[in-house]
Amino acid sequence: MLATMTSFADITTIAVGGEIDRFVEPTTRVGVIEAVEEADAKGLPLFVIGGGSNVLVSDEPFHGVVVRDARRAITVPDEAAPVEGDDRTVHVNAEAGCNWDDFVDYCVRLGLEGVEGLSGIPGTVGASVVQNIGAYGQDVASSVESVEVWDRKDKAVKNLHADELRFGYRMSALKASMYQAPAVPAGEFFPTPRYVVLSVTFALRHSSTGVVGYGQLAKALGVEVGDRMDTKEIRDAVLRVRAAKGMLEDATRYTRLAMQGTKKATLVATALRAQNDTPDANRHSCGSFFMNPILTAEQAAMLPPEAPRFEAVLPNGEPGVKTSAAWLIDHAGFHKGYTVDDDAKAGLSTLHTLALTNRGQAGSQDVAKLAKTVQDGVEHTFGVRLVPEPVVVGFSLR
Ligand SMILES: Cc1cc2nc3c(=O)[nH]c(=O)nc-3n(C[C@H](O)[C@H](O)[C@H](O)COP(=O)(O)OP(=O)(O)OC[C@H]3O[C@@H](n4cnc5c(N)ncnc54)[C@H](O)[C@@H]3O)c2cc1C
């Protein structure tokens, strides 16, 4: 197990955050459990971090333990792929520390369908199930069979089946275990869930083609939504569309000492070549900073008629209406490239309204000021308070 000096600015995609008292990288399953258990037993703040792509941490020193799982193996427990009959399911298991896009690349190369639309999402397999990552018509929930976790409360390893994970829009039972309300941390476990993911077992389909599930992607591929295409072509198109929107992480981070070895070297090299055209100012973000609000019918009725509306389910299980955070932000007057003042070190991406970016040397308060300005402006205009998607540590963004 490695224990080195580092800061959150070194290990997060937005490159913000203070020094860490103790940073450990266990290389075994028991090592992960012991590191978590030791911090919990001593009552120390514990942050199990993956790729650091969905966190915004204060610049103040973190007086606790940060654990980053250094296990990255992918295995295929099914000995042979099914070749006949209707059931073409192939199980794949990945350890929590495996880079998510390395996993997608592996599955696509193996001729498996189910995660190709999630190409290019930064982070790890472990965190993918925490917030149920989704993009381009796919989410991880639809291909997860079970998740092996360390339960910090019961102090036991458990195997949680997909049915128990209560997956929803950017939500799961794992994520819910660290919040008492949206953006309001629960006292006990935050900023790490009660359940620390050790590995994930996916049920994928043996098929070299996948479904194009999203309009923008279909347009890029010149096909209709619902058409089947080669999964490799879908993956390449997703990566191209993401690059054009500045929604790929900055691959130069993997050349930094604190990130070395966390992603497959060949894929880092490919990503570095692909990102040359992305302006540097757009490369350091947490991706989409705000969740798309899910409103009651009454709240949705207050929005202008032209505001986007999609069917959705409220946290209480009742039918709701999902609107677009990007639309609200733009129509509240915060356009691409917006900054709170001319010298601001943080700003909205010039390519994507929803991404708050560190333009270089931004601190947590620069990002917080921008986020609050946008939240206040949207609330003032539309009566809707936007909820941040990243895990905010050391200060509050309600
Ligand atoms: C450029 C960019 C684009 C993005 N695009 C998308 C997108 O299209 N769709 C989408 O859904 N998200 C997107 N994201 C957000 C982010 O990539 C995902 O949320 C990702 O799953 C976070 O993974 P991570 O390993 O970086 O998690 P981290 O940021 O390291 O951690 C996030 C949370 O997960 C917890 N966690 C991490 N590992 C474990 C574990 N092993 N067990 C339990 N808890 C754990 C942490 O404690 C923390 O609470 C994007 C981010 C960026 C920077």
Side-chain angles (χ1 to χ4, degrees):
M1 185 184 315
L2 266 174
T4 42
M5 278 294 293
T6 192
S7 75
F8 281 104
D10 296 329
I11 58 172
T12 59
T13 50
I14 195 160
V16 164
E19 294 288 330
I20 296 165
D21 271 7
R22 187 170 158 74
F23 177 64
V24 290
E25 288 196 281
T27 53
T28 62
R29 181 170 170 278
V30 70
V32 175
I33 296 171
E34 277 175 4
V36 168
E37 189 35 24
E38 190 186 325
D40 280 346
K42 289 183 178 160
L44 292 170
L46 168 71
F47 198 167
V48 172
I49 199 162
S53 62
N54 206 26
V55 293
L56 175 62
V57 187
S58 151
D59 297 330
E60 297 301 313
F62 182 76
H63 297 302
V65 182
V66 176
V67 177
R68 189 169 69 184
D69 192 337
R71 301 167 314 128
R72 304 190 177 97
I74 306 174
T75 48
V76 185
D78 299 332
E79 280 178 7
V83 286
E84 56 190 32
D86 288 340
D87 184 11
R88 302 180 72 81
T89 307
V90 176
H91 292 98
V92 183
N93 179 274
E95 291 174 329
C98 176
N99 176 275
W100 172 259
D101 193 59
D102 287 4
F103 174 74
V104 175
D105 181 70
Y106 179 96
C107 296
V108 168
R109 282 174 196 274
L110 210 62
L112 301 178
E113 172 194 1
V115 287
E116 61 283 349
L118 306 177
S119 293
I121 298 184
T124 53
V125 167
S128 72
V129 287
V130 173
Q131 84 139 358
N132 182 20
I133 55 169
Y136 303 103
Q138 235 169 30
D139 60 25
V140 81
S142 56
S143 50
V144 169
E145 178 155 295
S146 63
V147 177
E148 185 199 33
V149 297
W150 170 253
D151 182 345
R152 297 167 64 197
K153 188 168 183 194
D154 292 352
K155 308 211 173 296
V157 172
K158 292 182 179 170
N159 214 38
L160 302 177
H161 192 264
D163 301 345
E164 300 169 88
L165 290 164
R166 302 200 312 273
F167 284 125
Y169 165 63
R170 302 294 169 272
M171 188 44 83
S172 71
L174 313 174
K175 184 170 173 181
S177 72
M178 59 177 181
Y179 288 104
Q180 47 176 297
V184 185
E188 207 174 349
F189 302 110
F190 188 86
T192 299
R194 164 179 166 179
Y195 306 98
V196 173
V197 178
L198 299 172
S199 71
V200 181
T201 300
F202 297 84
L204 302 173
R205 193 165 172 275
H206 185 219
S207 165
S208 59
T209 63
V211 178
V212 179
Y214 198 77
Q216 213 174 23
L217 189 58
K219 198 172 159 203
L221 283 161
V223 298
E224 299 293 320
V225 173
D227 283 356
R228 292 195 76 86
M229 292 281 293
D230 190 308
T231 46
K232 289 194 187 70
E233 283 184 54
I234 295 180
R235 173 168 163 76
D236 289 347
V238 169
L239 292 173
R240 278 198 308 275
V241 172
R242 280 188 162 279
K245 292 199 289 188
M247 284 307 245
L248 293 173
E249 66 184 322
D250 173 29
T252 62
R253 70 190 296 244
Y254 293 104
T255 60
R256 274 190 236 139
L257 190 61
M259 292 302 294
Q260 273 174 20
T262 62
K263 182 170 173 62
K264 231 172 131 184
T266 48
L267 291 178
V268 172
T270 311
L272 282 169
R273 279 196 299 276
Q275 79 176 29
N276 278 342
D277 295 339
T278 312
D280 191 52
N282 291 324
R283 286 188 194 162
H284 312 283
S285 77
C286 302
S288 299
F289 196 87
F290 296 108
M291 313 248 272
N292 289 322
I294 300 182
L295 309 171
T296 61
E298 293 73 38
Q299 289 169 320
M302 308 292 284
L303 293 177
E306 65 276 20
R309 289 172 168 80
F310 310 95
E311 280 180 26
V313 181
L314 289 160
N316 64 8
E318 302 274 315
V321 180
K322 182 153 88 175
T323 188
S324 156
W327 189 94
L328 296 179
I329 293 170
D330 196 48
H331 287 78
F334 304 102
H335 308 304
K336 288 174 189 164
Y338 170 83
T339 52
V340 288
D341 55 56
D342 289 347
D343 306 325
K345 295 174 182 161
L348 298 189
S349 164
T350 61
L351 298 169
H352 199 291
T353 326
L354 258 189
L356 272 59
T357 59
N358 174 357
R359 299 185 161 197
Q361 308 307 316
S364 55
Q365 289 315 309
D366 297 307
V367 183
K369 187 172 175 190
L370 174 65
K372 283 195 169 144
T373 305
V374 170
Q375 282 174 308
D376 291 348
V378 167
E379 188 170 21
H380 179 76
T381 313
F382 297 113
V384 175
R385 187 80 186 165
L386 293 175
V387 174
E389 187 183 299
V391 179
V392 178
V393 185
F395 61 101
S396 167
L397 268 187
R398 278 178 225 162

